[in-house]
Amino acid sequence: NAGVTQTPKFQVLKTGQSMTLQCAQDMNHEYMSWYRQDPGMGLRLIHYSVGAGITDQGEVPNGYNVSRSTTEDFPLRLLSAAPSQTSVYFCASTGSGANVLTFGAGSRLTVL
Amino acid sequence: AQSVSQHNHHVILSEAASLELGCNYSYGGTVNLFWYVQYPGQHLQLLLKYFSGDPLVKGIKGFEAEFIKSKFSFNLRKPSVQWSDTAEYFCAVNAGGGFKTIFGAGTRLFVKA
Protein backbone atom coordinates (compact mmCIF):
# COMPACT_ATOMS: atom_id res chain seq x y z
CA ASN A 1 0.00 0.00 0.00
CA ALA A 2 1.94 3.02 -1.29
CA GLY A 3 -0.49 5.76 -0.11
CA VAL A 4 0.03 9.02 -2.00
CA THR A 5 2.88 9.08 -4.49
CA GLN A 6 4.24 12.30 -5.96
CA THR A 7 6.72 12.70 -8.79
CA PRO A 8 9.15 14.26 -9.34
CA LYS A 9 10.65 15.00 -5.92
CA PHE A 10 12.77 17.84 -7.26
CA GLN A 11 12.52 19.94 -10.42
CA VAL A 12 14.21 23.06 -11.72
CA LEU A 13 12.50 25.02 -14.48
CA LYS A 14 13.23 28.15 -16.41
CA THR A 15 10.65 30.93 -16.52
CA GLY A 16 8.05 30.17 -19.17
CA GLN A 17 8.57 26.42 -19.24
CA SER A 18 5.69 24.06 -18.61
CA MET A 19 5.58 20.92 -16.54
CA THR A 20 3.25 18.53 -14.76
CA LEU A 21 3.52 17.35 -11.19
CA GLN A 22 2.11 13.87 -10.86
CA CYS A 23 0.05 12.58 -7.94
CA ALA A 24 -1.37 9.09 -7.57
CA GLN A 25 -3.12 7.36 -4.67
CA ASP A 26 -4.02 3.70 -4.25
CA MET A 27 -6.52 4.05 -1.40
CA ASN A 28 -9.61 4.60 -3.56
CA HIS A 29 -10.01 8.06 -2.04
CA GLU A 30 -12.65 10.30 -3.61
CA TYR A 31 -11.11 13.58 -2.55
CA MET A 32 -7.71 14.79 -3.76
CA SER A 33 -6.05 18.17 -3.43
CA TRP A 34 -2.91 20.14 -4.16
CA TYR A 35 -1.24 22.54 -1.73
CA ARG A 36 1.82 24.70 -1.93
CA GLN A 37 3.95 25.34 1.14
CA ASP A 38 5.87 28.58 1.45
CA PRO A 39 7.79 29.86 4.51
CA GLY A 40 5.54 31.82 6.85
CA MET A 41 2.45 31.12 4.77
CA GLY A 42 1.65 27.56 5.71
CA LEU A 43 -0.12 25.34 3.22
CA ARG A 44 -2.35 27.05 0.70
CA LEU A 45 -4.90 25.12 -1.28
CA ILE A 46 -4.42 25.36 -5.05
CA HIS A 47 -7.06 23.04 -6.53
CA TYR A 48 -9.10 20.13 -5.29
CA SER A 49 -11.31 17.37 -6.63
CA VAL A 50 -14.20 15.55 -5.01
CA GLY A 51 -14.26 12.77 -7.60
CA ALA A 52 -13.36 11.80 -11.14
CA GLY A 53 -14.37 14.52 -13.56
CA ILE A 54 -14.95 17.12 -10.83
CA THR A 55 -12.42 19.81 -9.92
CA ASP A 56 -12.61 23.17 -8.22
CA GLN A 57 -10.36 26.08 -7.32
CA GLY A 58 -8.82 26.59 -3.93
CA GLU A 59 -7.22 29.68 -2.41
CA VAL A 60 -4.41 30.23 -4.96
CA PRO A 61 -5.41 28.65 -8.31
CA ASN A 62 -3.88 31.17 -10.74
CA GLY A 63 -1.16 29.72 -12.97
CA TYR A 64 -2.17 26.10 -12.32
CA ASN A 65 -4.46 23.64 -14.09
CA VAL A 66 -5.75 20.28 -12.93
CA SER A 67 -7.85 17.43 -14.27
CA ARG A 68 -9.21 14.25 -12.70
CA SER A 69 -9.85 11.60 -15.32
CA THR A 70 -9.49 8.68 -12.89
CA THR A 71 -10.01 8.22 -9.16
CA GLU A 72 -6.32 7.44 -8.69
CA ASP A 73 -4.59 10.34 -10.47
CA PHE A 74 -4.66 14.10 -9.98
CA PRO A 75 -1.91 15.87 -11.96
CA LEU A 76 -1.05 19.54 -11.45
CA ARG A 77 0.03 21.46 -14.55
CA LEU A 78 2.04 24.64 -14.74
CA LEU A 79 1.53 26.03 -18.23
CA SER A 80 4.10 28.85 -18.05
CA ALA A 81 6.22 28.71 -14.92
CA ALA A 82 7.06 31.90 -13.03
CA PRO A 83 9.57 32.47 -10.21
CA SER A 84 6.62 33.09 -7.86
CA GLN A 85 5.74 29.42 -8.28
CA THR A 86 8.96 28.32 -6.61
CA SER A 87 7.63 26.28 -3.72
CA VAL A 88 7.14 22.86 -2.22
CA TYR A 89 4.00 21.20 -3.54
CA PHE A 90 2.02 18.61 -1.62
CA CYS A 91 -0.70 16.34 -2.88
CA ALA A 92 -3.19 14.99 -0.35
CA SER A 93 -6.20 12.71 -0.41
CA THR A 94 -8.98 11.51 1.86
CA GLY A 95 -11.89 9.11 1.70
CA SER A 96 -15.46 9.82 2.68
CA GLY A 97 -16.27 10.25 6.36
CA ALA A 98 -12.81 10.59 7.82
CA ASN A 99 -11.68 13.89 6.29
CA VAL A 100 -8.18 13.19 7.57
CA LEU A 101 -5.71 13.99 4.82
CA THR A 102 -2.99 11.61 3.73
CA PHE A 103 -0.09 13.56 2.26
CA GLY A 104 2.51 12.72 -0.33
CA ALA A 105 6.21 13.35 0.29
CA GLY A 106 6.19 16.64 -1.59
CA SER A 107 7.73 18.01 -4.79
CA ARG A 108 10.24 20.84 -4.53
CA LEU A 109 10.03 23.12 -7.56
CA THR A 110 12.46 25.92 -8.35
CA VAL A 111 11.72 28.35 -11.17
CA LEU A 112 14.69 30.41 -12.33
CA ALA B 1 -14.95 31.54 3.42
CA GLN B 2 -13.01 29.56 5.97
CA SER B 3 -9.76 30.91 7.37
CA VAL B 4 -7.33 29.84 10.06
CA SER B 5 -5.07 32.01 12.17
CA GLN B 6 -2.12 30.70 14.18
CA HIS B 7 -0.78 33.17 16.70
CA ASN B 8 2.83 32.11 17.02
CA HIS B 9 5.08 31.64 14.02
CA HIS B 10 8.19 30.63 15.95
CA VAL B 11 8.41 29.19 19.44
CA ILE B 12 11.56 28.19 21.30
CA LEU B 13 11.26 26.16 24.50
CA SER B 14 13.53 24.20 26.76
CA GLU B 15 12.84 20.52 27.38
CA ALA B 16 10.17 19.91 30.04
CA ALA B 17 8.56 23.30 29.45
CA SER B 18 4.83 23.42 28.76
CA LEU B 19 3.53 24.22 25.31
CA GLU B 20 0.42 25.98 24.10
CA LEU B 21 -0.05 26.94 20.47
CA GLY B 22 -2.98 29.15 19.60
CA CYS B 23 -5.35 28.57 16.69
CA ASN B 24 -8.48 30.49 15.75
CA TYR B 25 -10.72 29.86 12.78
CA SER B 26 -13.47 31.74 11.07
CA TYR B 27 -16.47 29.81 9.88
CA GLY B 28 -20.01 30.09 11.12
CA GLY B 29 -21.18 26.51 10.80
CA THR B 30 -20.12 23.09 11.98
CA VAL B 31 -16.42 22.42 11.56
CA ASN B 32 -13.94 19.61 11.77
CA LEU B 33 -10.64 20.71 13.32
CA PHE B 34 -7.18 19.25 13.00
CA TRP B 35 -3.61 19.67 14.07
CA TYR B 36 -1.00 18.28 11.70
CA VAL B 37 2.73 18.03 12.36
CA GLN B 38 5.69 18.02 10.02
CA TYR B 39 8.88 16.66 11.58
CA PRO B 40 12.10 17.60 9.82
CA GLY B 41 12.40 15.67 6.57
CA GLN B 42 9.12 13.82 7.05
CA HIS B 43 5.60 13.83 5.64
CA LEU B 44 2.86 15.89 7.16
CA GLN B 45 0.93 13.68 9.53
CA LEU B 46 -2.11 13.97 11.74
CA LEU B 47 -1.50 14.86 15.38
CA LEU B 48 -5.13 14.97 16.51
CA LYS B 49 -8.62 15.83 15.30
CA TYR B 50 -11.97 17.05 16.59
CA PHE B 51 -15.22 16.12 14.87
CA SER B 52 -17.79 16.18 17.68
CA GLY B 53 -18.34 15.23 21.31
CA ASP B 54 -15.83 15.90 24.08
CA PRO B 55 -14.15 19.22 23.25
CA LEU B 56 -10.91 18.06 24.82
CA VAL B 57 -9.22 15.69 22.40
CA LYS B 58 -6.05 13.73 22.86
CA GLY B 59 -3.59 12.87 20.15
CA ILE B 60 -0.32 11.12 19.69
CA LYS B 61 2.82 11.74 21.76
CA GLY B 62 0.99 13.35 24.68
CA PHE B 63 -0.54 16.24 22.76
CA GLU B 64 -4.06 17.46 23.41
CA ALA B 65 -6.26 20.24 22.10
CA GLU B 66 -9.36 21.97 23.37
CA PHE B 67 -12.18 23.15 21.14
CA ILE B 68 -13.88 26.27 22.50
CA LYS B 69 -16.79 26.97 20.20
CA SER B 70 -17.60 30.40 21.64
CA LYS B 71 -14.06 31.56 20.96
CA PHE B 72 -13.66 29.77 17.60
CA SER B 73 -10.44 28.36 19.00
CA PHE B 74 -8.65 25.01 18.94
CA ASN B 75 -5.44 25.44 20.93
CA LEU B 76 -2.81 22.73 21.09
CA ARG B 77 -1.15 21.85 24.40
CA LYS B 78 1.49 19.57 25.81
CA PRO B 79 2.47 19.64 29.50
CA SER B 80 6.14 18.80 28.98
CA VAL B 81 7.88 19.03 25.61
CA GLN B 82 10.78 16.91 24.47
CA TRP B 83 13.60 17.62 22.05
CA SER B 84 11.90 15.23 19.59
CA ASP B 85 8.87 17.57 19.43
CA THR B 86 10.91 19.97 17.32
CA ALA B 87 8.74 20.32 14.21
CA GLU B 88 6.31 22.57 12.39
CA TYR B 89 2.71 22.45 13.58
CA PHE B 90 -0.30 23.32 11.45
CA CYS B 91 -3.86 23.96 12.52
CA ALA B 92 -6.49 23.13 9.89
CA VAL B 93 -10.25 23.30 9.47
CA ASN B 94 -12.88 22.01 7.12
CA ALA B 95 -16.57 22.71 7.10
CA GLY B 96 -18.46 19.81 8.68
CA GLY B 97 -19.31 17.21 6.08
CA GLY B 98 -16.98 18.69 3.49
CA PHE B 99 -13.49 17.82 2.33
CA LYS B 100 -11.95 21.19 1.51
CA THR B 101 -9.36 21.74 4.25
CA ILE B 102 -7.78 25.12 4.96
CA PHE B 103 -4.53 25.43 6.90
CA GLY B 104 -3.01 28.07 9.09
CA ALA B 105 0.43 29.56 8.49
CA GLY B 106 2.11 27.08 10.80
CA THR B 107 4.20 27.36 13.97
CA ARG B 108 7.82 26.29 14.04
CA LEU B 109 8.69 24.81 17.41
CA PHE B 110 12.30 24.36 18.46
CA VAL B 111 12.95 22.50 21.70
CA LYS B 112 16.37 22.99 23.25
CA ALA B 113 17.87 19.88 24.82
Side-chain angles (χ1 to χ4, degrees):
Chain A
N1 188 346
V4 178
T5 302
Q6 289 183 235
T7 56
K9 285 187 169 29
F10 301 95
Q11 182 72 49
V12 179
L13 291 178
K14 293 181 180 178
T15 297
Q17 286 185 315
S18 63
M19 77 157 299
T20 299
L21 298 177
Q22 301 290 347
C23 176
Q25 53 90 9
D26 61 0
M27 299 170 285
N28 203 32
H29 283 170
E30 289 294 318
Y31 178 84
M32 297 184 74
S33 53
W34 277 102
Y35 292 89
R36 58 178 291 174
Q37 183 181 18
D38 301 290
M41 306 192 76
L43 282 83
R44 291 180 292 169
L45 182 63
I46 304 171
H47 285 285
Y48 63 100
S49 168
V50 297
I54 307 169
T55 64
D56 205 347
Q57 296 180 348
E59 302 168 280
V60 288
N62 292 342
Y64 307 94
N65 281 350
V66 292
S67 59
R68 184 94 179 271
S69 55
T70 67
T71 300
E72 294 78 20
D73 299 299
F74 191 45
L76 179 71
R77 297 182 186 84
L78 286 72
L79 298 179
S80 179
S84 61
Q85 294 178 303
T86 293
S87 187
V88 181
Y89 292 85
F90 288 96
C91 181
S93 71
T94 186
S96 60
N99 293 357
V100 175
L101 293 171
T102 299
F103 282 88
S107 298
R108 184 176 294 273
L109 174 66
T110 301
V111 183
L112 302 175
Chain B
Q2 304 155 229
S3 68
V4 179
S5 175
Q6 292 184 237
H7 310 308
N8 316 95
H9 294 299
H10 293 92
V11 174
I12 302 174
L13 295 173
S14 297
E15 276 195 314
S18 64
L19 171 71
E20 180 159 3
L21 301 182
C23 172
N24 286 91
Y25 67 92
S26 66
Y27 182 74
T30 304
V31 292
N32 297 323
L33 296 159
F34 309 83
W35 278 95
Y36 287 85
V37 60
Q38 186 176 32
Y39 297 103
Q42 295 189 25
H43 290 207
L44 279 144
Q45 59 187 279
L46 181 72
L47 198 58
L48 49 76
K49 63 185 186 291
Y50 172 80
F51 288 172
S52 64
D54 189 345
L56 185 62
V57 293
K58 297 190 184 299
I60 59 172
K61 303 188 179 184
F63 285 90
E64 64 178 32
E66 184 176 13
F67 170 51
I68 303 179
K69 189 174 181 180
S70 61
K71 295 185 177 180
F72 297 89
S73 70
F74 190 56
N75 292 353
L76 180 70
R77 300 195 290 251
K78 186 171 183 179
S80 176
V81 296
Q82 300 173 313
W83 177 80
S84 57
D85 293 324
T86 293
E88 191 161 14
Y89 294 82
F90 296 94
C91 183
V93 60
N94 67 37
F99 295 103
K100 180 180 171 183
T101 302
I102 302 300
F103 285 76
T107 298
R108 290 196 172 210
L109 171 66
F110 180 72
V111 180
K112 297 183 290 185

